[in-house]
Amino acid sequence: MAKLNFGGVEEEVVTREEFPLEKAREVLSTETIAVIGYGVQGPGQSLNMRDNGFNVIVGQRKGGKSWDKAVADGWVPGETLFDIEEALAKGTIICYLLSDAAQIELWPTVKKHLTAGKSLYFSHGFGVTYKDQTGIVPPADVDVYLVAPKGSGTSLRRLFVEGKGLNSSFAVFQDATGKAREKCIAMGIGVGSGYLFETDFYREVTSDLTGERGTLMGAIQGIFAAQYEVLRSNGHTPSEAFNETVEELTQSLMPLVAENGMDWMYANCSTTAQRGALDWWKPFRDATKPVFEQLYNSVKSGEQATISITRNSQPDYRVKLEAELAELRESEMWQAGTTVRGLRPERN
Ligand SMILES: NC(=O)C1=CN([C@@H]2O[C@H](COP(=O)(O)OP(=O)(O)OC[C@H]3O[C@@H](n4cnc5c(N)ncnc54)[C@H](O)[C@@H]3O)[C@@H](O)[C@H]2O)C=CC1
Ligand SMILES: CC(=O)[C@](C)(O)C(=O)O
Ligand SMILES: [Mg+2]
Ligand SMILES: [Mg+2]
């Protein structure tokens, strides 16, 4: 592992140079990797592993959208695509990539197929960490580890195809064979990770749940909405409000942040903008920090897991979810966004 300095703190990371694809293939050469679930992570991880030359099969409920997508992606029924129980029986590394709530329901079936020496692989620390709520307690004689790509399965695949990679965290929860760590890292390389940083199941799930509820998804929409509403109520048009809230951020400024950091983005804006942004970021931090504290405590106590599980297991959850997504989509701000995006020169 390479020791690197992250802002003054030394951490160890696994890079592709020190754990090349060849080595990953060697470590997993006798394994049958069964990817269970073909939603968002399932396709990204299984296709990357297939293209990387691993022995991969997919297990998915027959019929339905995900099954058809798997067939369209080149998985062959009866050869590399099976119903879930068949894939569980054939697999020696079981990649449990159903939604976290669905993992609870299928657990008794999965457990039955976890014979000694097999591996149970997750992409989230959820099921194991919140075992009091999920009932997921792996048998003692299997390896249990996770690789959690830090991004959507869609990006994992897109970046892989472009020859890039997302970074992932990895963690070993249980090492029954003495080889769990090596297998875990090999899986991380196989699914297309850029570099791998080590964590444990608890830290993975608590940071992940905080991030997606916070700056990655929840907080950002909240801040967008607040600014948009203030601009609109002060007489600005939808296009002006959208451009100054979202479009400029995603098209111009965030790519600069991604490239070289916040100070560099600031340095490439006007002195007027810099002055204002430097004066205002701390008040925004101070205003939102209590909400982040509240969020973290709610994650830590298990309350967010409870909400996720109970809401996701309601029979009409999909319908309600669609209505909530429609509320976002049909809001004036995101409707204005559809029109603004349509005007991007490259879309014509
Ligand atoms: N969505 C993402 O990009 C990311 C997901 N993860 C983690 O990866 C894991 C998989 O997540 P997603 O790919 O988002 O899952 P998902 O919500 O897309 O569902 C995956 C599959 O589960 C199947 N499924 C749902 N309920 C089922 C049931 N009762 N019985 C059998 N199959 C059922 C669906 O057909 C679907 O193919 C989770 O642990 C998640 O936290 C980690 C990083 C990012
Ligand atoms: C994409 C990702 O890493 C998330 C936001 O944590 C998730 O989809 O659960
Ligand atoms: Mg995440
Ligand atoms: Mg997540």
Side-chain angles (χ1 to χ4, degrees):
M1 303 237 284
K3 251 206 160 70
L4 296 177
N5 188 315
F6 292 87
V9 179
E10 294 254 308
E11 293 184 47
E12 289 187 336
V13 295
V14 179
T15 61
R16 282 204 252 196
E17 288 70 48
E18 70 179 286
F19 206 103
L21 186 54
E22 285 308 316
K23 185 170 165 189
R25 279 201 201 109
E26 177 58 38
V27 169
L28 301 179
S29 58
T30 60
E31 307 282 351
T32 299
I33 303 164
V35 172
I36 307 301
Y38 208 73
V40 181
Q41 281 297 318
Q45 297 193 22
S46 60
L47 292 172
N48 289 357
M49 284 193 285
R50 187 176 72 184
D51 289 353
N52 272 334
F54 292 74
N55 180 22
V56 190
I57 60 174
V58 171
Q60 171 62 36
R61 279 185 299 200
K62 271 214 175 86
K65 263 194 348 217
S66 295
W67 177 273
D68 295 343
K69 179 171 161 39
V71 171
D73 286 347
W75 301 100
V76 182
E79 279 176 34
T80 52
L81 175 61
F82 301 94
D83 70 32
I84 292 180
E85 277 234 50
E86 223 176 328
L88 285 169
K90 289 187 193 304
T92 56
I93 297 182
I94 306 298
C95 302
Y96 207 12
L97 297 183
L98 298 187
S99 66
D100 297 307
Q103 286 177 20
I104 300 171
E105 196 188 315
L106 204 75
W107 175 243
T109 310
V110 172
K111 199 173 165 188
K112 210 169 59 189
H113 291 281
L114 287 172
T115 47
K118 281 195 183 187
S119 292
L120 176 62
Y121 165 105
F122 292 92
S123 284
H124 206 4
F126 194 101
V128 163
T129 300
Y130 299 115
K131 63 175 189 304
D132 293 345
Q133 300 187 54
T134 64
I136 296 181
V137 180
D141 52 5
V142 299
D143 292 341
V144 182
Y145 44 83
L146 70 75
V147 173
K150 296 290 115 179
S152 166
T154 307
S155 332
L156 184 72
R157 179 63 181 163
R158 281 189 191 166
L159 290 170
F160 177 84
V161 170
E162 289 168 23
K164 301 177 184 166
L166 275 183
N167 51 326
S168 300
S169 58
F170 74 97
V172 175
F173 175 74
Q174 192 167 285
D175 183 5
T177 65
K179 296 201 166 124
R181 197 161 186 284
E182 189 180 54
K183 287 186 204 168
C184 178
I185 294 172
M187 286 293 292
I189 298 295
V191 301
S193 309
Y195 71 92
L196 292 153
F197 62 97
E198 193 158 10
T199 184
D200 58 44
F201 275 52
Y202 173 79
R203 282 185 293 146
E204 195 285 326
V205 69
T206 47
S207 59
D208 189 82
L209 295 180
T210 301
E212 67 203 16
R213 281 154 184 72
T215 59
L216 304 178
M217 295 171 69
I220 194 94
Q221 164 61 19
I223 288 181
F224 284 170
Q227 174 169 305
Y228 184 88
E229 285 167 20
V230 168
L231 287 170
R232 286 290 287 132
S233 65
N234 282 283
H236 298 272
T237 63
S239 68
E240 186 164 65
F242 187 83
N243 278 327
E244 289 297 343
T245 302
V246 180
E247 189 73 354
E248 178 168 341
L249 181 72
T250 60
Q251 298 307 293
S252 164
L253 302 182
M254 273 299 150
L256 296 180
V257 176
E259 214 176 301
N260 260 321
M262 192 64 87
D263 63 304
W264 192 71
M265 184 270 267
Y266 277 23
N268 281 282
C269 291
S270 67
T271 50
T272 313
Q274 284 173 33
R275 181 69 269 126
L278 288 166
D279 291 343
W280 278 93
W281 76 262
K282 288 177 185 168
F284 278 110
R285 177 196 58 194
D286 297 345
T288 56
K289 200 165 169 189
V291 187
F292 284 103
E293 300 281 10
Q294 195 187 336
L295 163 60
Y296 193 83
N297 288 333
S298 177
V299 167
K300 205 167 135 186
S301 71
E303 182 186 40
Q304 289 302 306
T306 310
I307 293 171
S308 172
I309 293 166
T310 52
R311 294 289 292 278
N312 269 287
S313 16
Q314 287 168 3
D316 59 349
Y317 182 67
R318 286 276 146 199
V319 179
K320 285 189 182 149
L321 173 71
E322 187 38 51
E324 286 179 276
L325 292 173
E327 183 192 337
L328 277 182
R329 185 165 59 241
E330 285 157 17
S331 65
E332 185 194 277
M333 177 168 73
W334 289 110
Q335 284 295 309
T338 305
T339 310
V340 169
R341 287 194 296 277
L343 294 171
R344 288 182 197 153
E346 75 273 18
R347 294 220 176 170
N348 294 311

